[in-house]
Structures are given as structure tokens and as C-alpha cells.
């Protein structure tokens, strides 16, 4: 039986080699409440990610993922006891990345992000100091790498202690400097794809288990390996207020494709999951992960967009997910303050058990009066210009 008290804290610092722009990685891997260092995991990470540029694994345009919290459920019993995954990252001159696998589901992304920023600032200071020492001949390039690694370990241990023992980075309310408003929501029907194989090379192609020939290598040259289960979003229904197109900065902001991009980016990138799957300690091939909170930063304005999730397991392969998107850029009487979000999530959670009608669920929440589109296949979203057109294309009343 899986030990639900397993803790794996993976910390990564990524520098770019200036001439060739190749990534130089510094890893630390801590286990247990006491932050025991795992030499084995650290060695495996260095090998698995030696040619991977972490900063390129995230699909980011004007919005940047800063933090993510997920529920990790055993695929053989979706209603069983789950564990938690927290992802935090930051980037300035260097890229800092943290994945925290644990039995905690109460890590506070707001507070943990503040600590992540402090770690990044400290590492940047170390790198700048080392660069000056190399120029002055005090340090060699090899010694400088050791210095960065030592500082990453020291900072990581303090961060680990704050979560596991002091618990100052757990619990409490996810806060924002500006009270955000709810701009839209989504219902999603999803199913779990199991027994997949995937290229762990550059293309990341997924192969089903019913193909005629067995392949060891992909056309791109990557090795084909057994992949972790994949949560596939099949179709989606959008929930939004009247005159939303008159409130937002641009109509592109509320295109079905753009709204859905926030959902797609609320998962750990598949490329990273595929490589981490080769660490048997993490047991990723036995779990499916569902987001609970995702924090994004708008690059141009420094505003915050956050996505909050609720879910209900319908069967051993089907999960219904509800997501609510909040934004600090807007103020309008047509929008609802995010202060109401916990009550809305509770009411939706109660409403999506069993068979349900999205319209009827919404009418029993503070989002009553908002428009609810028919369900549309995810693959169709790229062809749909705006939310209103979903009604005319797929039926329903505007």
C-alpha cells in the first residue's frame, strides 16, 4: 500500500550558458518532514533533464504561470485518499522551479510564492557575486558551480522547514493585493486515458496501445516509454455575464480559445511529468492530477488571474470539473467579487454530483442570471470566434 506520508521536494535552478545558451541545472531533492537529502533522486534528475530547458516547457504569452496546486488521486480508487502537488516557479536573470509532492493539500500558494521570490532573489545575488569573483580571479568556473549548489540546498532546506514543520506556508486564505472579480467559469467533462505510451524526445507524441507495430523509437529519435495517465478534457460549457465583451480590454481576452488556455496551463507540463515518471519514488504512473488553484501574472500590467477548481468523480474513468476564473484588472457591477467564490464553489460541488444540468446548477449559485453555453467539443474551440456564437452553432437560447 502506498505511503501517503511520502514527501519529495524537488528544487531546480536553471542558468543559461551565455555563449551557446544551453541550460546549466542545479538540483536539490529533499525527502521526509526532516528534509533528508536524496543523492539518488538528485543524480537521476541531473541525467533526465540534462538536455531540457525548463523555461521552454511552459506555454506562456501575456500571462505567466507562477504557482499551481493539484490534487493527486490514485487511479484505482478516485474517491480514495489523495495527496498534493504544489508547483512554484519564477524567472528573472535565472529560472527557479519547485515541485513539492506531499500528503499536504493546504499549501498556501500566495505565501509560498513570496518565499519563492526570496529564494530567486538570493540565488540571483549569489550568481552576480560569483561572476565578479570569477572576473577578479578569486573563483574558477567549477568552484562557482559548487557555490550555487550549496546555496540552493541551504535555501531549499529552510523552505522545506517552513512547509513541513513550522507550517507557516500552509493554511489560510489565498490573498491578493487587489480584490479580484469573477469574469467567467467553465464546466468540463473529462475522462482518464490509461495505458498510453509517449515519446520522451522533442515531439512528445502520444501513442495508443492498440497500434499494429511495437515501436521503441519515435520518428524524432526519442525513446517511447509508458506514460502516466492523462486527464483528457472532452467538452466544455462556458458561464459568463451579460455584456462581458464591453467590460474586458479586448474581445480576444474572452474568446473560448483564450479562456480555455488558462485551463490548459493549470497543469504541470506534460514534458516534465513524462520525465519525472521515470523516478519510481513518485509513483506518477498510478495517479491522476486535478488542479485546485492556479495563479497567473499578466505580464504587461502585473495584474493577477487565478483559476479555482472543484471536481466530482463520476466513475472510474470520468470526472466532472468546474473552474472559476478571477481577475484583478476589472471593476464592473456586472461582475461578482471573488469574496463570494467559496460559497459558489460549495454550491456547485453539491450540484454536480450525479446527473446534472449546468443551467440549473448555476441558478442555485450567486452566478444566477449568467449565461451558460451548451457543451462544445474542445477540438472545436479554435474555430469559434466568441462565446455568443456557441449558442447559434450548437443550439440553445441567447
Amino acid at each position: 500500500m502506498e505511503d501517503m506520508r511520502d514527501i519529495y521536494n524537488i528544487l531546480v535552478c536553471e542558468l543559461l550558458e551565455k555563449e551557446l545558451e544551453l541550460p546549466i541545472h542545479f538540483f536539490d531533492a529533499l525527502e521526509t518532514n526532516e528534509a533528508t537529502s536524496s543523492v539518488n533522486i538528485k543524480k537521476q534528475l541531473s541525467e533526465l533533464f540534462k538536455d531540457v530547458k525548463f523555461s521552454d516547457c511552459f506555454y506562456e504569452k501575456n500571462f505567466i504561470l507562477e504557482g499551481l496546486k493539484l490534487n493527486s488521486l490514485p487511479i484505482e480508487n478516485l474517491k480514495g485518499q489523495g495527496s498534493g502537488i504544489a508547483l512554484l516557479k519564477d524567472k528573472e536573470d535565472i529560472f527557479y522551479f519547485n515541485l513539492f509532492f506531499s500528503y499536504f493539500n493546504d499549501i498556501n500558494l500566495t505565501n509560498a510564492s513570496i518565499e519563492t521570490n526570496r529564494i530567486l532573489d538570493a540565488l540571483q545575488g549569489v550568481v552576480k557575486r560569483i561572476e565578479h569573483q570569477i572576473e577578479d580571479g578569486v573563483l574558477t568556473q567549477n568552484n562557482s558551480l559548487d557555490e550555487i549548489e550549496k546555496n540552493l540546498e541551504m535555501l531549499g532546506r529552510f523552505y522545506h522547514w517552513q512547509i513541513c514543520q513550522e507550517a507557516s506556508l500552509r493554511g489560510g486564505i489565498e490573498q491578493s493585493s487587489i480584490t479580484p472579480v469573477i469574469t467567467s467559469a467553465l464546466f468540463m467533462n473529462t475522462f482518464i486515458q490509461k495505458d498510453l505510451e509517449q515519446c520522451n524526445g522533442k515531439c512528445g507524441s502520444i501513442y495508443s496501445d492498440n497500434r499494429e507495430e511495437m515501436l521503441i523509437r519515435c520518428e524524432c529519435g526519442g525513446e517511447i516509454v509508458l506514460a502516466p495517465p492523462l486527464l483528457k478534457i472532452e467538452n466544455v460549457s462556458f458561464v459568463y455575464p451579460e455584456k462581458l465583451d464591453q467590460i474586458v480590454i479586448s474581445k480576444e481576452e474572452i474568446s473560448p480559445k483564450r479562456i480555455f488556455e488558462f485551463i490548459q496551463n493549470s497543469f504541470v507540463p506534460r514534458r516534465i511529468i513524462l520525465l519525472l515518471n521515470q523516478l519510481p519514488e513518485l509513483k506518477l504512473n498510478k495517479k491522476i492530477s486535478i488542479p485546485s488553484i492556479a495563479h497567473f501574472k499578466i505580464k504587461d500590467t502585473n495584474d493577477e488571474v487565478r483559476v479555482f477548481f472543484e471536481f466530482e468523480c463520476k466513475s472510474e474513468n470520468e470526472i466532472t470539473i468546474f473552474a472559476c476564473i478571477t481577475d484583478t484588472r476589472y471593476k464592473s457591477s456586472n461582475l461578482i467579487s471573488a469574496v463570494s467564490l467559496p460559497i459558489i464553489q460549495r454550491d456547485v460541488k453539491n450540484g454536480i454530483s450525479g446527473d446534472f444540468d449546468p443551467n440549473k446548477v448555476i441558478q442555485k449559485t450567486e452566478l444566477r442570471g449568467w449565461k451558460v453555453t451548451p457543451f462544445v467539443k474542445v477540438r472545436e474551440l479554435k474555430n469559434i470566434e466568441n462565446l455568443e456564437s456557441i449558442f447559434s452553432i450548437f443550439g440553445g437560447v441567447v
Side-chain angles (χ1 to χ4, degrees):
M1 183 177 177
E2 180 184 357
D3 182 6
M4 298 305 295
R5 303 192 71 79
D6 284 347
I7 292 176
Y8 297 99
N9 186 2
I10 295 170
L11 305 108
V12 185
C13 173
E14 179 178 272
L15 303 176
L16 286 184
E17 197 279 327
K18 290 184 178 178
E19 292 184 5
L20 301 175
E21 289 211 348
L22 295 174
I24 302 172
H25 292 134
F26 303 90
F27 292 98
D28 200 12
L30 305 173
E31 300 179 80
T32 71
N33 276 299
E34 291 75 28
T36 305
S37 184
S38 175
V39 177
N40 181 48
I41 292 179
K42 187 174 171 181
K43 183 178 178 182
Q44 290 181 78
L45 288 169
S46 298
E47 183 62 29
L48 290 172
F49 289 94
K50 64 181 179 182
D51 298 321
V52 176
K53 194 174 173 183
F54 275 95
S55 50
D56 285 348
C57 290
F58 295 86
Y59 174 77
E60 296 176 333
K61 290 184 178 178
N62 188 38
F63 54 88
I64 299 169
L65 178 68
E66 288 192 322
L68 172 62
K69 193 160 65 173
L70 303 103
N71 295 289
S72 188
L73 305 175
I75 55 173
E76 71 275 7
N77 181 16
L78 294 178
K79 295 185 183 292
Q81 186 180 7
S83 53
I85 300 174
L87 176 151
L88 290 129
K89 68 178 193 61
D90 214 330
K91 180 181 180 181
E92 289 190 25
D93 298 331
I94 62 179
F95 187 83
Y96 173 74
F97 175 80
N98 171 241
L99 265 170
F100 200 102
F101 298 83
S102 70
Y103 56 92
F104 304 125
N105 285 302
D106 61 344
I107 293 176
N108 188 299
L109 288 186
T110 306
N111 295 336
S113 292
I114 293 171
E115 189 59 32
T116 297
N117 275 298
R118 287 175 181 154
I119 292 174
L120 178 65
D121 288 343
L123 289 172
Q124 284 180 303
V126 171
V127 171
K128 287 177 182 176
R129 185 179 74 245
I130 285 170
E131 286 175 347
H132 289 307
Q133 290 176 325
I134 291 175
E135 289 174 6
D136 295 340
V138 178
L139 275 181
T140 65
Q141 188 70 36
N142 287 337
N143 288 337
S144 71
L145 300 184
D146 291 340
E147 187 70 16
I148 294 170
E149 196 165 52
K150 274 190 244 177
N151 276 271
L152 178 64
E153 181 180 351
M154 178 183 66
L155 294 163
R157 284 182 181 279
F158 180 63
Y159 171 70
H160 195 97
W161 173 78
Q162 287 177 292
I163 294 176
C164 296
Q165 297 182 26
E166 186 203 34
S168 61
L169 302 185
R170 287 165 43 201
I173 299 171
E174 299 285 351
Q175 297 179 334
S176 175
S177 56
I178 305 171
T179 301
V181 291
I182 302 170
T183 56
S184 57
L186 304 90
F187 289 97
M188 290 164 279
N189 292 325
T190 76
F191 66 93
I192 300 171
Q193 286 185 294
K194 304 174 185 176
D195 302 321
L196 294 173
E197 291 184 329
Q198 187 168 359
C199 169
N200 69 354
K202 292 182 179 180
C203 76
S205 296
I206 295 176
Y207 296 84
S208 63
D209 60 349
N210 58 1
R211 64 183 188 275
E212 292 182 3
E213 57 177 325
M214 293 296 294
L215 297 175
I216 298 175
R217 291 277 169 190
C218 177
E219 290 181 359
C220 77
E223 182 185 5
I224 296 175
V225 298
L226 185 64
L230 179 65
L231 189 66
K232 187 81 172 177
I233 303 174
E234 189 169 39
N235 51 45
V236 57
S237 167
F238 295 89
V239 182
Y240 63 99
E242 293 277 0
K243 301 180 181 178
L244 182 59
D245 60 340
Q246 298 175 27
I247 299 171
V248 295
I249 295 168
S250 69
K251 291 186 178 179
E252 184 188 5
E253 287 286 321
I254 55 164
S255 69
K257 181 182 176 183
R258 172 61 66 85
I259 294 173
F260 189 68
E261 281 179 356
F262 283 111
I263 307 302
Q264 289 176 304
N265 287 281
S266 296
F267 290 84
V268 182
R270 188 67 175 170
R271 172 77 167 135
I272 293 174
I273 287 292
L274 182 67
L275 291 171
L276 290 176
N277 184 52
Q278 298 178 59
L279 295 176
E281 295 91 341
L282 301 182
K283 307 179 181 74
L284 292 181
N285 61 334
K286 298 180 180 179
K287 301 174 182 176
I288 191 74
S289 295
I290 305 169
S292 58
I293 306 173
H295 288 191
F296 297 91
K297 185 77 77 178
I298 301 298
K299 190 186 300 183
D300 295 339
T301 65
N302 218 32
D303 279 284
E304 297 171 353
V305 173
R306 296 183 175 181
V307 189
F308 296 81
F309 296 82
E310 283 292 346
F311 66 93
E312 178 72 19
C313 300
K314 299 293 186 178
S315 70
E316 62 180 14
N317 291 312
E318 296 175 291
I319 300 171
T320 294
I321 299 176
F322 175 76
C324 226
I325 299 176
T326 71
D327 201 316
T328 60
R329 288 176 292 177
Y330 304 115
K331 289 183 179 179
S332 170
S333 58
N334 280 29
L335 301 175
I336 294 173
S337 169
V339 172
S340 301
L341 191 54
I343 298 171
I344 292 170
Q345 288 181 282
R346 181 201 65 195
D347 292 341
V348 170
K349 175 72 172 176
N350 292 335
I352 61 176
S353 57
D355 293 330
F356 73 97
D357 180 336
N359 275 288
K360 291 180 179 178
V361 172
I362 291 300
Q363 289 309 309
K364 293 180 180 179
T365 74
E366 290 194 46
L367 301 180
R368 67 181 67 86
W370 283 26
K371 295 185 177 182
V372 182
T373 74
F375 276 101
V376 54
K377 296 286 185 186
V378 167
R379 64 174 178 268
E380 300 287 346
L381 295 182
K382 63 180 182 294
N383 302 318
I384 301 173
E385 186 176 348
N386 55 62
L387 293 167
E388 297 291 324
S389 62
I390 296 177
F391 292 96
S392 57
I393 296 172
F394 297 94
V397 179
V398 179

